[in-house]
Amino acid sequence: MTASPSAPTALRYEPLRGLALWGEEEKAAALDVLESRSLFRYYGPALQRRVERFEERFAALHQAPHAVGVSSGTAALTCALIGLGIPEGGEVIVPSATFIGCVNAVVAARGVPVFADIDDSLTLDPTAWEHLVTERTFAVMPVHLNNAAADMDPILAVARKHGVRVLEDAAQACGVGYRGRPVGSIGDAGAFSFQLEKNITAGEGGAVVTTDPDVHDRVVRYQDQGGQFTTSRSGERGAAGEAFLGANLRMTEIAGALLSVQLERLTPMLRRLRDVARTVRADLADLGLEWRRLPDEEGSGGDLTVLLADRMAARRFVTQLTAAGIPAATLYSGRLVQQNPSVRAGRTAWGTSWDATARLRASEAVLGRSVTVGLGATMTDDDVAHLTASLRTAAESVRKGAGGE
Ligand SMILES: *Cc1c(COP(=O)(O)O)cnc(C)c1O
């Protein structure tokens, strides 16, 4: 998310989460599955039920009765929308600062994305999306960006008022909390990603969490060809009226085994990163920097995002930090998701699916002047001290206008 592959100086630390803690336990868990030759979750020579066990632990961590492991975070979002019962053409309100996977998931679920403003939290402006609600609106998709929660309470209030479903995109916030609740189980469903850069990883993978047994049932069916291995009775996928067709978005047993190990590392890792972020912010308090607003700092998993005066200052800030070996970047290179040409024009694989999207200049401006510092799970106290000093130097230099390009 924040790696800077073209950094002129070697980075001081890897800006990685779960992958930075990868070790012997992951190797042993994967090897167990290989030796069992049971690589498939629903049957095999010596079924290990690794995905099932991961789902149980993942659901428990989220204080939810149900979790379903799937093949990716994008698949999780698609499955969740289908689980929630999105009708064809149903509109899904998506914040403008997010990954294109959100849009792709809506399209795969036969929905239409509608782009909403972000605020100085870089997440969905909690009330400014209300005017976008129409009779076609099916869901709103708050995105918990870079290990900090969106402001869920006001989002839920607006959603309930209009009968709009709430699907949390927690791909970048596995283990993060909001007012004492784990993100992903606050709305009607939550989606997680276990891609390489996420908090816990198996290279690829995803999960859907929900408290609704009907949503759970539909997600299980959809990710399994409509219920090939989960509900098939005499070739029928459930009773007449309840069966429907699906896709193959299943999780492999190796992923399940790796993720069970990674999950054990999650809580202490996030506590450490939250402490790092707090320490750095406190040490720099005298600079009067404008930090990204965190709707719940207490529950965050470590975010250090500075809002500079403008886009140019943000670029200079990034240049300074990367020269000091600190991973830093403007998320999504400062581009809103609908600035992607295909998204803007509504070009899907089956034609043009929506009209050109409106520009959201305030959202462009706030994202463009933000700089997110990458934190790493293996950062030492030395690294933290170097990070603090580098932020101080960069901030002072940018303020003087002497950053240079
Ligand atoms: C990573 C990510 C996804 C998609 O996850 P994949 O596992 O890569 O499909 C969706 N939304 C956000 C905000 C993400 O960061």
Side-chain angles (χ1 to χ4, degrees), residues 72-74 77 98-99 102 143 169 171-172 193 195 198 204-205 332:
S72 74
T74 307
L77 287 167
T98 193
F99 178 55
C102 296
V143 176
D169 180 341
Q172 297 183 17
S193 166
Q195 186 269 344
K198 314 293 172 145
E204 292 275 19
Y332 305 113

Side-chain angles (χ1 to χ4, degrees), residues 173-397:
C174 181
V176 163
Y178 173 80
R179 302 195 180 163
R181 287 165 289 168
V183 300
S185 57
I186 300 169
D188 298 298
F192 295 82
S193 166
F194 310 123
Q195 186 269 344
L196 205 66
E197 292 180 40
K198 314 293 172 145
N199 287 349
I200 65 171
T201 185
E204 292 275 19
V208 178
V209 163
T210 182
T211 51
D212 184 331
D214 294 334
V215 174
H216 173 246
D217 191 55
R218 289 173 59 86
V219 170
V220 168
R221 286 167 196 253
Y222 189 76
Q223 59 91 41
D224 178 39
Q225 309 276 25
Q228 184 178 12
F229 296 101
T230 46
T231 62
S232 181
R233 296 192 284 269
S234 0
E236 291 292 332
R237 281 136 204 217
E242 70 182 27
F244 57 89
L245 297 171
N248 176 2
L249 302 170
R250 295 177 296 240
M251 179 179 274
T252 70
E253 284 285 275
I254 292 198
L258 293 171
L259 291 167
S260 292
V261 175
Q262 287 262 295
L263 197 57
E264 298 296 318
R265 310 191 192 286
L266 180 65
T267 305
M269 177 184 77
L270 293 182
R271 192 179 307 126
R272 161 78 177 152
L273 293 175
R274 179 165 54 241
D275 288 348
V276 167
R278 267 191 190 148
T279 305
V280 172
R281 269 197 293 271
D283 285 353
L284 298 176
D286 60 296
L287 290 178
L289 289 170
E290 182 184 358
W291 297 99
R292 167 190 174 193
R293 182 173 68 80
L294 300 178
D296 181 12
E297 201 267 337
E298 192 62 36
S300 78
D303 170 82
L304 275 184
T305 299
V306 186
L307 303 181
L308 283 301
D310 53 31
R311 196 168 277 259
M312 192 61 87
R315 276 169 57 182
R316 292 211 310 265
F317 201 61
V318 168
T319 304
Q320 293 261 328
L321 289 174
T322 48
I326 300 298
T330 296
L331 293 177
Y332 305 113
S333 308
R335 277 156 54 98
L336 303 183
V337 70
Q338 67 270 33
Q339 289 180 280
N340 174 289
S342 299
V343 178
R344 189 191 299 128
R347 250 187 341 265
T348 65
W350 34 86
T352 300
S353 297
W354 58 86
D355 296 335
T357 58
R359 279 192 74 172
L360 297 177
R361 288 172 202 277
S363 297
E364 277 174 40
V366 70
L367 183 64
R369 68 188 181 92
S370 73
V371 173
T372 297
V373 176
L375 300 180
T378 54
M379 286 178 87
T380 63
D381 289 347
D382 249 17
D383 292 331
V384 178
H386 177 76
L387 164 59
T388 308
S390 306
L391 275 167
R392 179 175 292 282
T393 308
E396 281 164 355
S397 140

